[in-house]
Amino acid sequence: MSGIVKAFPGVRALDGVDLEVRAGEVHCLLGQNGAGKSTLIKVLSGAHQPDEGEIRWQGEEIRLTTPLSAMKHGIATIYQELDLVDGLTVAENIYLGHELSSAGFAHRGETQKQAAALLARLGHSEISPRRELGTLSAAGKQVVSMARALSHDVKLIIMDEPSAVLDQEEVARLFKVIRDLQSEGVAVVYISHRLEEIRQVGDRVTVLKDGRTVATGLPARDTPTRELTRLMTGRDIEYVFPPRVSRDGDGTVVLSVENLASGRAFSGVDFEVRAGEIVGLAGLVGSGRSEILETIYGARRATAGTVTVDGKQLRNGRVRAAVGAGVGLCPEERKSQGLLLDEAVYRNVSLATMGRFSRGGFINRGSEKRAASEHVKSLDVRPTGVERAVRTLSGGNQQKVVLARWLLRECRVLLLDEPTRGVDVGARSEIYALVRRLADEGVAVVLVSSEVPEVLGLADRVLVLREGVVVHTGPADDIDEHRVLDLVMEGSAA
Amino acid sequence: FVVGCTSNEPEEEDQPAAAETGGGDDGDGGSGNDEPGETVVIGFSGPEADHGWLAAVNDSAIAEAESYEDVELRTAEGTNDANLQISQIETFINEGVDAIVLLPTDGAQLTEVAIRAMEAGIPVVNVDREFSSPFAARATILGDNHGMGISAGTYACQLIEENGIADPVIAEIAGIDSLPLTQDRSRGFAEALEACGQEVDNRVAAEFTVESGEEQAANLLQAAPQIDIIWNHDDDQGVGVKQAFDNAGRDEFFFIGGAGSANAMQWIQDGEMEATILYPPTQAADGIRLARLIAQNKGMSDLVQVEVPRRIVLNAPVVNADNVEDYLHLGFES
Amino acid sequence: MSSPFGRNLGLILALLVLCAVGAFTAGDRFVDTDNMVTILRFASIIGVVSIGMTFVIIGGGIDLSVGAIVALSSVWATTLATQTMAEDTHWLLMVFVACAVGVGCGLVNGILIAYGGMAPFIATLAMFAAARGLAEIISEKRTQLVDVRGLVDTINGEFLGIPVLVWIFAAVSTIGWVLLNRTTFGRRTIAVGGNATAARLAGIAVKRHTVLLYVVLGLACGIAGIMLTARTGTGSGTHGQLYELDAIAAVVIGGTLLTGGRGTIVGTIIGVLIFTTLTNVFTLNNLDSSTQAVAKGAIIVIAVLLQQRVSVRSADSS
Amino acid sequence: MSSPFGRNLGLILALLVLCAVGAFTAGDRFVDTDNMVTILRFASIIGVVSIGMTFVIIGGGIDLSVGAIVALSSVWATTLATQTMAEDTHWLLMVFVACAVGVGCGLVNGILIAYGGMAPFIATLAMFAAARGLAEIISEKRTQLVDVRGLVDTINGEFLGIPVLVWIFAAVSTIGWVLLNRTTFGRRTIAVGGNATAARLAGIAVKRHTVLLYVVLGLACGIAGIMLTARTGTGSGTHGQLYELDAIAAVVIGGTLLTGGRGTIVGTIIGVLIFTTLTNVFTLNNLDSSTQAVAKGAIIVIAVLLQQRVSVRSADSS
Ligand SMILES: Nc1ncnc2c1ncn2[C@@H]1O[C@H](COP(=O)(O)OP(=O)(O)OP(=O)(O)O)[C@@H](O)[C@H]1O
Ligand SMILES: Nc1ncnc2c1ncn2[C@@H]1O[C@H](COP(=O)(O)OP(=O)(O)OP(=O)(O)O)[C@@H](O)[C@H]1O
Ligand SMILES: [Mg+2]
Ligand SMILES: [Mg+2]
């Protein structure tokens, strides 16, 4: 690909990008949120038409007018926003658009058999090909998405942040699949914000910044982190966690969770969070971490146990009670759970705080916008205009908008579910610093993340979960990544 | 001529009602026809009673049936969907009723099923909207829609002549335009006007509802700044039409109505309306009577003829200030 | 995927309760083969439209113009010209004309929606007005009698003791079921309605598929138009009034989501039967139309609430 | 976000074209203050309903029962009992009764939808049947004349030379605009319709808000009911027929998305004016109803396509 230009109304998302991928290599794309990575691969997969530039495939210039024409050339894509259909079965999703059929009649048995084979290859034979997709967790859907890409006879697979919803075990399995593909001569374009993944699996790196290629063909394993982040952000960034302020025992208990349980998702969860403390929840995907947060927040009914904030017990199953008591939740799936995509950024930011800017029900838009702008700036959301519809922001920037909502709210308790999913390195350290700053200001934070280093690095105390049960509780300093992984796998070792 | 019209007042139903015009003064009282005979089951199906005239049709039919102890009435009331009405008639056929009184949403559309009923040995009395086949009904009672238009047009011509109006502006507010009865009325109106060299200058169609009457009349008044004669097909929508006149403060024209509701008669008495063309809502009640006679194998005592006639067409007389007293009791509540 | 039986359990229950009420209040007059046939015959026409509507709604659309299309196709098939030609050739010509008119209207709807980018509600609302107006213009607001007896005798007749109308409904239902559940067309319909972006990225020609959905529904309307023509022996601009609401109600009661992406043919059929049985029970019980309307409202609410409770429970226990 | 003017540019253009056609074909009879007042008066009642409908649709719902609620409130406000009481006290009592009936129906709709979990389409379809049936039962299918002259004289009268009906429409529009654009209620409505889950997780009481939306619409229907009562001088079970389609069409033509989350009051008002002007131009030109219907269909399509093209262009240049 060379000289690719793609403009959206008001944004030049790609402004002359070059990318060269060789057969059998894993080519990583790096760039900040909004740098244009997803847009680039959408051009490559035929979903977007470039305004300028040319694409050469095995030496010949081609035009990819539809996703179908890309597939015909052997290009398959796993999109960042899971693009699957809830109402269909797993097998049907995998073969959607290239169904195994004759004369329009689908071969269901054959489809299911082959889908099962693909899932087994990905190490997920427990997912039944006949299961309805809507009942799978986000991680399960990601696996289906991968199976979908593999179902094509491909020469190039594009993966846009496939690891974002996966835990480390899953990522390891994914890498194994990628290496298999590589040995078959298939090229992979891999996008991730996690540098360590790129070092593990990547061969060469191309870095995008503001819609332009700033470096290409860098060796993935040897290029120093500093160099990469500098290329991406244009400045030097320390990828480190902010220091903990040690203050054992002080700080009053803000949030206390006693013997909490919800259906089959989790049970017997007990913990306290003090003012200024960050408690991290680690565990595999599906271990019930999100459910714990949702139950504390009242978005899901507890079947047993109590949640107490500042000494007052919250009413079970009432989000408004939780919000009223000063609890905020950054949900896991920002698009479906967090954002009003067609609305302006400032309105999304002020959604939970409208009351503060209104008198007698009438909103003072001036002060609302000012307050929102402040937080949007402090989080470095790009582009900066608060009147822009959230839909036009890149994934990572959308995540920041959700965070800004709860910053504005000035909560007592902040529940963060995967706060850095899809967020670039630069923004990540900003978010880390921010979370720590909030804690220092006396907020009690509960953090869920699938990236164990993030939990260990940011949290003061760590709870490890396995199948809905807490198997370890202790200070983050006393435990390392391997130990967490062991706990998560074995569980009994507690 | 009008046969055996009954009043709407239920308490009067017990006495045999006198034939109002035309027929003998002692009505059918002298015959043995009102004596209870063997009990007959009559199925009655009419269109959706969504306005006063149709409601009066249904009510008077039901009241009529109740006045006979030897009549058991099955009503399948209320639909403007031919498909549904057909299935209602099919239900009657399944049940094996002794006779069916049918006021179809559309005569032609119910013909097939009426023929089937007749073939199943169930006599069908067709009311108001005529079937397209003579084999579909044993007897037919029709309001005269075409005659209504003729009466209205003739009366309009008369007004023009009497008042010496030069170059008159004539307006028409029709009912639901897609119903054959509306077209018959309009056709009659146009024909009668043509006879005196006139034609309709402005025409709108309402929907037999007060609201649509008001709406269309308001638009009509806007379209024609000066009007001499207005014929409104239906006194139910006439309530709205009249309101539109009042709203606009317009009364320079002669206002002629249709059907003959109690309101219209009141307006005529008060001098707010010139005339209305009668279209009695008692046809279905007559239908019940005929069906009973047919099912019991009786004839009509006012006729020399032994059997019930095949076809009865009601008159559409003009009611104006001169004769309104005679018709007051026929006025139905809209 | 849960079994269709489990998913439709609440519906089947509602239908059974209704039948029980019918049997209890009307006795033999309800529980009678002739009466069952009457219900089915009544259900057949709106049933065919509802099957077509199921596809459009699953595909994320809606169509308000079905009643008007039924009217237009019945009128077009019964014009003097068509009937004369049919006399000379075969009555199937009229069937063909009705279907062609339906397909044509569906095509216009589909193109306006898929390529014109109009909201389905608005595009079909325009068709709702235009098709009925056109039907009235063509028929000059008269009811057109069918003189081609072959058509009426065949389609309004019986075959193996069962009305041909019911056979047609059964055939359309079966084809609809196979189309939705066993073909790529059906699976793609769910994809288009469930997640149009995903469908597009999977290489499905979403626009073309959308057009096809409206064409399928148009064809169903054409078939319904000729059924109604045979049943009433007429073509008329007044045919098919309120079919849009009836069909949509049957589809939605049948568990198809108005947002698209999910639905079943079996549910739709039961939905249609619930409404027609309801009307039949009302008729047998001599209820006046106002009371019918109130009762109908109440029963819709009860049926839906019942269905929800039961399907939640059966989903839990599965 | 583009300015409301830019967003509605296509609509305004469509309205202007329509006016030009009116002026060209009907001349002075169209371009006449009285005629403009006639159009506005005609628009006022369906306009009030459409403003209420805008809220429900932005909030992700739909209401098919508005016409029936209008009828029920007009009937209830004109029963003998109510009128007698109003004679004894004040005609405002009738206004109060109509509004209370509207609010009551809206409450039932809202509760069925928000707490009963019914699809709005189905819940309000049930209300559509039940409310009209109830109106017929109460009125015994008769048209109830208003004897309380104060009501008719005031509401159907004029104030400062402009009909009171038009004043009411203007007041409801203004309140609606402020409510949607300047209050937390409006913001919540957009949030609930745009993404109900996000709204819930942001601490908005989604269910309660949904109920409120239907209550607001019910209130609008009550107001429209009393307006119609005054305008026709009657209460009747036949009032408000097809208002649901007219109101939804006006709202959607006005640019509000049927999927919720986006819409404007100004767009709705222009949408209402387009339809009423259309009818007026047709009548002034003595067009028969079939031709009107076909033309209406065509104009809807043209207006929407025009609006899309223009708004795309104005968005590009912003
Ligand atoms: N459909 C769209 N309309 C308008 N602007 C868009 C659209 N899609 C993307 N953009 C803009 O294009 C730019 C590039 O977005 P893109 O999604 O490619 O970023 P990205 O590199 O994938 O970021 P992330 O790491 O957050 O996923 C951003 O500024 C974004 O706001
Ligand atoms: N919609 C659903 N239907 C059925 N089961 C579900 C559904 N959502 C979640 N579950 C189940 O609930 C449990 C917890 O799921 P979930 O993925 O939310 O956990 P988690 O620890 O938060 O993981 P993640 O890292 O994805 O946030 C799993 O067993 C999962 O299969
Ligand atoms: Mg991206
Ligand atoms: Mg989770």
Side-chain angles (χ1 to χ4, degrees):
Chain A
M1 299 176 86
S2 57
I4 303 290
V5 173
K6 173 75 192 175
F8 292 112
V11 198
R12 221 169 148 82
L14 298 179
D15 192 12
V17 172
D18 304 317
L19 175 71
E20 186 202 67
V21 183
R22 298 179 192 148
E25 76 163 345
V26 177
H27 196 108
C28 298
L29 264 184
L30 276 179
Q32 279 186 285
N33 295 134
K37 304 179 294 294
S38 298
T39 310
L40 180 67
I41 62 107
K42 280 185 184 158
V43 168
L44 184 53
S45 65
H48 282 329
Q49 296 307 305
D51 302 329
E52 284 170 38
E54 61 165 19
I55 302 172
R56 301 183 78 83
W57 176 252
Q58 296 177 331
E60 280 169 51
E61 179 169 356
I62 52 167
R63 292 183 55 80
L64 302 169
T65 46
T66 60
L68 199 60
S69 58
M71 282 174 216
K72 284 204 180 115
H73 282 100
I75 303 172
T77 311
I78 300 168
Y79 295 95
Q80 182 174 13
E81 315 302 339
L82 296 170
D83 280 316
L84 299 169
V85 181
D86 278 351
L88 294 176
T89 63
V90 168
E92 285 165 348
N93 263 293
I94 291 175
Y95 284 96
L96 184 66
H98 57 285
E99 295 86 353
L100 306 173
S101 65
S102 46
F105 288 88
H107 299 309
R108 300 197 312 152
E110 185 64 19
T111 307
Q112 279 163 12
K113 221 167 75 200
Q114 300 210 11
L118 285 170
L119 290 167
R121 180 170 164 199
L122 289 167
H124 281 274
S125 31
E126 86 283 358
I127 299 179
S128 161
R130 288 152 77 163
R131 186 153 163 200
E132 206 171 293
L133 185 93
T135 64
L136 290 181
S137 65
K141 289 179 183 176
Q142 185 70 57
V143 172
V144 175
S145 233
M146 284 188 282
R148 201 177 137 60
L150 293 181
S151 71
H152 294 273
D153 180 19
V154 286
K155 302 199 183 70
L156 171 65
I157 292 192
I158 307 164
M159 302 183 177
D160 196 354
E161 304 198 27
S163 57
V165 296
L166 302 181
D167 60 45
Q168 276 163 337
E169 175 72 0
E170 302 272 350
V171 172
R173 261 189 267 187
L174 171 67
F175 287 175
K176 192 180 157 294
V177 174
I178 290 178
R179 292 208 185 89
D180 287 352
L181 287 168
Q182 213 175 347
S183 64
E184 292 163 20
V186 175
V188 176
V189 171
Y190 189 89
I191 300 176
S192 174
H193 289 291
R194 302 181 189 166
L195 289 182
E196 56 297 351
E197 289 178 9
I198 284 164
R199 299 210 183 286
Q200 273 181 49
V201 78
D203 295 319
R204 296 193 304 153
V205 176
T206 292
V207 182
L208 296 188
K209 179 171 185 301
D210 298 334
R212 288 199 192 86
T213 310
V214 291
T216 186
L218 303 173
R221 261 163 272 270
D222 316 326
T223 313
T225 306
R226 262 178 173 288
E227 169 78 2
L228 287 176
T229 51
R230 197 187 49 74
L231 282 169
M232 278 158 60
T233 60
R235 57 206 154 105
D236 288 316
I237 286 184
E238 294 292 324
Y239 185 61
V240 289
F241 296 101
R244 299 190 182 92
V245 196
S246 88
R247 43 172 167 182
D248 312 79
D250 69 339
T252 49
V253 174
V254 178
L255 172 73
S256 112
V257 176
E258 279 167 50
N259 193 29
L260 199 65
S262 171
R264 271 172 286 173
F266 64 90
S267 60
V269 173
D270 267 307
F271 67 95
E272 285 180 348
V273 189
R274 293 171 184 277
E277 193 182 28
I278 302 174
V279 170
L281 300 185
L284 290 182
V285 166
S287 56
R289 298 161 303 171
S290 294
E291 280 79 357
I292 293 176
L293 295 194
E294 283 169 12
T295 311
I296 294 173
Y297 195 56
R300 172 185 274 270
R301 285 198 86 79
T303 45
T306 57
V307 178
T308 314
V309 174
D310 283 333
K312 277 198 353 214
Q313 191 178 324
L314 297 185
R315 262 182 83 185
N316 188 4
R318 286 296 174 106
V319 172
R320 282 170 57 77
V323 172
V327 184
L329 169 76
C330 283
E332 182 175 14
E333 289 183 32
R334 57 178 171 255
K335 274 203 177 168
S336 64
Q337 303 178 324
L339 292 168
L340 306 171
L341 290 172
D342 288 324
E343 284 292 284
V345 167
Y346 78 93
R347 291 185 171 204
N348 271 285
V349 172
S350 68
L351 192 64
T353 334
M354 264 184 289
R356 197 191 304 163
F357 307 107
S358 67
R359 193 181 269 171
F362 289 86
I363 295 180
N364 179 341
R365 290 195 300 171
S367 65
E368 178 192 9
K369 261 186 227 174
R370 264 194 306 281
S373 307
E374 217 170 274
H375 289 283
V376 163
K377 267 201 210 96
S378 78
L379 283 175
D380 195 22
V381 175
R382 257 168 293 180
T384 47
V386 292
E387 302 261 3
R388 170 177 285 278
V390 169
R391 185 184 292 285
T392 63
L393 297 184
S394 75
N397 281 310
Q398 291 178 352
Q399 182 69 46
K400 292 189 203 165
V401 171
V402 181
L403 272 174
R405 176 183 303 161
W406 298 109
L407 295 188
L408 183 59
R409 169 116 199 146
E410 293 164 4
C411 304
R412 294 283 296 139
V413 179
L414 197 52
L415 312 173
L416 304 173
D417 199 352
E418 311 280 2
T420 58
R421 172 176 294 175
V423 174
D424 67 51
V425 186
R428 238 167 227 248
S429 28
E430 283 158 26
I431 289 175
Y432 294 150
L434 192 90
V435 171
R436 178 48 70 188
R437 200 180 75 218
L438 285 171
D440 290 344
E441 285 165 11
V443 177
V445 179
V446 181
L447 169 78
V448 166
S449 172
S450 295
E451 289 174 59
V452 177
E454 186 172 295
V455 178
L456 295 183
L458 192 56
D460 300 309
R461 219 144 42 85
V462 175
L463 270 65
V464 181
L465 275 119
R466 182 175 164 270
E467 287 169 5
V469 179
V470 180
V471 291
H472 171 91
T473 312
D477 300 335
D478 297 357
I479 191 167
D480 65 8
E481 200 172 333
H482 293 291
R483 174 89 180 111
V484 171
L485 288 179
D486 284 349
L487 282 168
V488 156
M489 307 303 170
E490 331 285 331
S492 52
Chain B
F1 71 128
V2 179
V3 176
C5 281
T6 57
S7 141
N8 286 316
E9 306 305 316
E11 51 274 297
E12 288 176 25
E13 294 298 333
D14 297 340
Q15 315 135 23
E20 306 304 341
T21 46
D25 280 340
D26 50 2
D28 41 7
S31 76
N33 270 353
D34 280 354
E35 302 289 304
E38 60 174 309
T39 298
V40 289
V41 180
I42 297 176
F44 170 61
S45 169
E48 191 167 346
D50 46 14
H51 69 301
W53 187 83
L54 276 172
V57 164
N58 283 340
D59 289 352
S60 60
I62 292 168
E64 189 65 28
E66 275 170 5
S67 74
Y68 290 102
E69 57 195 62
D70 56 352
V71 170
E72 186 189 322
L73 192 70
R74 296 268 163 78
T75 48
E77 190 205 339
T79 175
N80 291 328
D81 175 11
N83 184 27
L84 173 54
Q85 203 174 19
I86 289 172
S87 111
Q88 291 174 342
I89 303 305
E90 285 169 347
T91 305
F92 288 150
I93 299 175
N94 292 342
E95 291 179 356
V97 296
D98 297 306
I100 293 172
V101 177
L102 177 55
L103 202 174
T105 57
D106 178 298
Q109 295 178 22
L110 269 289
T111 303
E112 287 293 324
V113 75
I115 291 176
R116 254 192 290 146
M118 291 285 281
E119 281 171 354
I122 302 172
V124 176
V125 178
N126 178 199
V127 178
D128 191 37
R129 303 172 188 176
E130 198 174 7
F131 294 144
S132 57
S133 160
F135 305 111
R138 165 64 186 78
T140 304
I141 301 176
L142 295 177
D144 189 359
N145 286 300
H146 183 244
M148 229 180 132
I150 300 268
S151 296
T154 312
Y155 193 75
C157 287
Q158 193 185 324
L159 286 174
I160 293 166
E161 195 181 331
E162 280 171 7
N163 296 282
I165 309 170
D167 209 2
V169 178
I170 301 172
E172 182 184 359
I173 302 174
I176 298 175
D177 232 353
S178 54
L179 290 181
L181 70 93
T182 298
Q183 293 151 29
D184 289 345
R185 289 176 190 184
S186 287
R187 188 163 48 87
F189 191 51
E191 284 170 10
L193 287 180
E194 205 184 322
C196 64
Q198 298 301 334
E199 60 175 22
V200 176
D201 297 280
N202 288 82
R203 183 179 186 280
V204 291
E207 274 147 24
F208 288 146
T209 64
V210 176
E211 186 189 352
S212 66
E214 198 274 345
E215 195 178 301
Q216 294 301 330
N219 271 318
L220 176 76
L221 293 181
Q222 194 57 46
Q226 209 277 327
I227 302 176
D228 295 296
I229 293 172
I230 293 183
W231 182 42
N232 168 47
H233 284 204
D234 178 76
D235 287 338
D236 279 307
Q237 67 188 26
V239 176
V241 170
K242 181 77 170 49
Q243 185 69 39
F245 296 164
D246 295 348
N247 291 348
R250 296 264 298 264
D251 62 354
E252 79 274 7
F253 40 75
F254 293 107
F255 176 26
I256 306 172
S261 70
N263 287 324
M265 306 244 183
Q266 184 64 45
W267 292 332
I268 292 173
Q269 282 183 314
D270 297 348
E272 293 183 52
M273 190 185 210
E274 175 58 30
T276 189
I277 319 296
L278 206 66
Y279 195 81
T282 48
Q283 304 169 36
D286 289 336
I288 299 284
R289 282 197 177 197
L290 288 195
R292 171 176 168 271
L293 295 181
I294 293 168
Q296 292 178 341
N297 261 323
K298 291 177 180 166
M300 280 172 69
S301 47
D302 291 336
L303 300 180
V304 180
Q305 175 75 32
V306 179
E307 289 187 18
V308 169
R310 288 194 66 88
R311 199 176 150 83
I312 295 167
V313 180
L314 305 180
N315 195 9
V318 175
V319 179
N320 62 10
D322 302 333
N323 62 356
V324 63
E325 304 291 337
D326 302 337
Y327 290 95
L328 272 184
H329 64 280
L330 277 180
F332 58 91
E333 296 292 334
S334 56
Chain C
M1 227 192 275
S2 60
S3 78
F5 180 76
R7 236 180 318 169
N8 293 318
L9 197 61
L11 272 181
I12 294 172
L13 218 79
L15 186 58
L16 287 182
V17 168
L18 206 59
C19 288
V21 171
F24 188 72
T25 55
D28 287 350
R29 291 183 301 140
F30 181 82
V31 194
D32 173 59
T33 347
D34 280 350
N35 192 48
M36 295 298 145
V37 171
T38 300
I39 294 179
L40 282 178
R41 192 154 37 186
F42 174 46
S44 62
I45 299 178
I46 188 72
V48 168
V49 176
S50 302
I51 298 285
M53 186 69 90
T54 310
F55 280 89
V56 164
I57 294 183
I58 292 180
I62 194 127
D63 193 337
L64 298 180
S65 65
V66 290
I69 298 179
V70 166
L72 183 61
S73 60
S74 85
V75 165
W76 209 311
T78 54
T79 53
L80 197 63
T82 317
Q83 292 210 42
T84 315
M85 273 172 68
E87 297 266 24
D88 292 347
T89 54
H90 194 272
W91 57 262
L92 277 173
L93 181 82
M94 292 171 69
V95 177
F96 176 78
V97 168
C99 292
V101 170
V103 166
C105 291
L107 202 62
V108 173
N109 277 339
I111 290 175
L112 285 178
I113 292 162
Y115 295 96
M118 289 178 73
F121 193 94
I122 287 297
T124 59
L125 189 73
M127 178 60 79
F128 164 86
R132 210 171 272 285
L134 195 58
E136 287 174 1
I137 291 174
I138 293 177
S139 66
E140 296 173 322
K141 290 185 183 158
R142 307 231 178 286
T143 304
Q144 300 178 156
L145 295 182
V146 178
D147 294 319
V148 183
R149 290 307 306 176
L151 180 86
V152 177
D153 293 342
T154 312
I155 297 187
N156 204 23
E158 296 196 344
F159 178 68
L160 300 181
I162 292 175
V164 174
L165 291 174
V166 178
W167 282 113
I168 298 178
F169 180 29
V172 170
S173 301
T174 313
I175 295 173
W177 189 87
V178 171
L179 201 58
L180 183 62
N181 294 295
R182 290 285 178 270
T183 69
T184 53
F185 180 86
R187 302 290 93 186
R188 289 175 178 197
T189 302
I190 295 177
V192 167
N195 188 341
T197 318
R200 194 173 62 89
L201 294 178
I204 295 172
V206 173
K207 292 186 178 180
R208 203 182 57 196
H209 194 89
T210 303
V211 173
L212 279 181
L213 289 175
Y214 286 90
V215 168
V216 165
L217 176 50
L219 180 62
C221 291
I223 297 173
I226 207 70
M227 289 165 81
L228 197 52
T229 302
R231 181 157 155 88
T232 62
T234 63
S236 161
T238 63
H239 279 341
Q241 263 165 24
L242 286 186
Y243 274 24
E244 46 284 351
L245 286 188
D246 289 349
I248 298 173
V251 171
V252 179
I253 280 255
T256 297
L257 291 186
L258 270 176
T259 43
R262 225 179 265 249
T264 65
I265 297 287
V266 177
T268 296
I269 296 171
I270 303 177
V272 170
L273 289 181
I274 285 181
F275 280 112
T276 44
T277 308
L278 195 62
T279 311
N280 181 265
V281 172
F282 284 149
T283 308
L284 290 179
N285 281 300
N286 256 339
L287 246 62
D288 82 301
S289 58
S290 314
T291 320
Q292 275 193 28
V294 175
K296 192 168 169 179
I299 287 172
I300 293 179
V301 171
I302 295 169
V304 171
L305 292 182
L306 199 72
Q307 185 198 354
Q308 278 176 0
R309 299 297 167 268
V310 175
S311 25
V312 167
R313 205 150 345 120
S314 80
D316 277 355
S317 63
S318 73
Chain D
M1 226 185 282
S2 58
S3 77
F5 180 76
R7 237 180 317 167
N8 294 318
L9 197 61
L11 272 181
I12 295 174
L13 218 79
L15 186 58
L16 287 182
V17 169
L18 206 59
C19 288
V21 171
F24 188 73
T25 55
D28 286 352
R29 288 181 303 141
F30 181 82
V31 195
D32 173 58
T33 350
D34 278 352
N35 191 45
M36 294 300 146
V37 172
T38 303
I39 294 179
L40 281 178
R41 191 155 38 185
F42 176 39
S44 61
I45 299 177
I46 188 72
V48 168
V49 176
S50 302
I51 299 285
M53 187 68 90
T54 310
F55 280 90
V56 163
I57 294 184
I58 292 180
I62 194 127
D63 192 338
L64 298 180
S65 65
V66 289
I69 297 178
V70 167
L72 183 60
S73 60
S74 86
V75 165
W76 210 311
T78 53
T79 52
L80 196 63
T82 318
Q83 292 209 42
T84 315
M85 272 173 71
E87 297 265 24
D88 293 345
T89 54
H90 193 271
W91 56 262
L92 277 173
L93 182 81
M94 292 172 69
V95 178
F96 176 78
V97 168
C99 291
V101 170
V103 166
C105 292
L107 202 62
V108 173
N109 277 338
I111 289 175
L112 286 177
I113 293 163
Y115 295 96
M118 288 179 74
F121 193 94
I122 288 296
T124 60
L125 189 72
M127 179 59 80
F128 163 86
R132 210 171 272 287
L134 196 57
E136 286 173 1
I137 292 175
I138 293 177
S139 68
E140 295 174 321
K141 290 184 184 161
R142 309 232 179 285
T143 305
Q144 300 178 155
L145 295 183
V146 177
D147 294 318
V148 184
R149 291 309 305 173
L151 180 85
V152 177
D153 292 342
T154 312
I155 297 187
N156 204 22
E158 296 197 344
F159 178 68
L160 299 181
I162 292 175
V164 173
L165 290 174
V166 178
W167 282 114
I168 298 179
F169 180 30
V172 170
S173 300
T174 313
I175 295 172
W177 189 88
V178 171
L179 201 59
L180 184 63
N181 294 295
R182 290 285 178 268
T183 69
T184 51
F185 181 87
R187 278 299 174 72
R188 293 202 183 105
T189 304
I190 295 172
V192 167
N195 187 341
T197 313
R200 195 170 64 97
L201 292 180
I204 294 172
V206 173
K207 290 185 180 181
R208 202 180 61 193
H209 192 84
T210 303
V211 173
L212 278 181
L213 289 175
Y214 287 89
V215 167
V216 165
L217 176 51
L219 180 62
C221 291
I223 296 174
I226 207 70
M227 289 165 81
L228 195 52
T229 303
R231 181 160 154 92
T232 61
T234 63
S236 161
T238 65
H239 280 344
Q241 263 166 21
L242 286 185
Y243 273 25
E244 46 283 352
L245 286 189
D246 289 348
I248 298 173
V251 171
V252 179
I253 280 255
T256 297
L257 290 187
L258 270 176
T259 43
R262 221 203 283 228
T264 65
I265 295 288
V266 177
T268 297
I269 296 171
I270 303 177
V272 170
L273 289 180
I274 285 182
F275 280 112
T276 44
T277 309
L278 198 62
T279 310
N280 182 266
V281 172
F282 284 149
T283 312
L284 292 181
N285 283 301
N286 236 338
L287 245 61
D288 84 302
S289 57
S290 314
T291 321
Q292 276 194 28
V294 175
K296 192 168 169 178
I299 287 172
I300 293 178
V301 171
I302 295 169
V304 171
L305 292 183
L306 199 71
Q307 185 197 355
Q308 279 176 0
R309 301 296 167 269
V310 175
S311 29
V312 166
R313 205 150 345 118
S314 79
D316 277 356
S317 62
S318 73

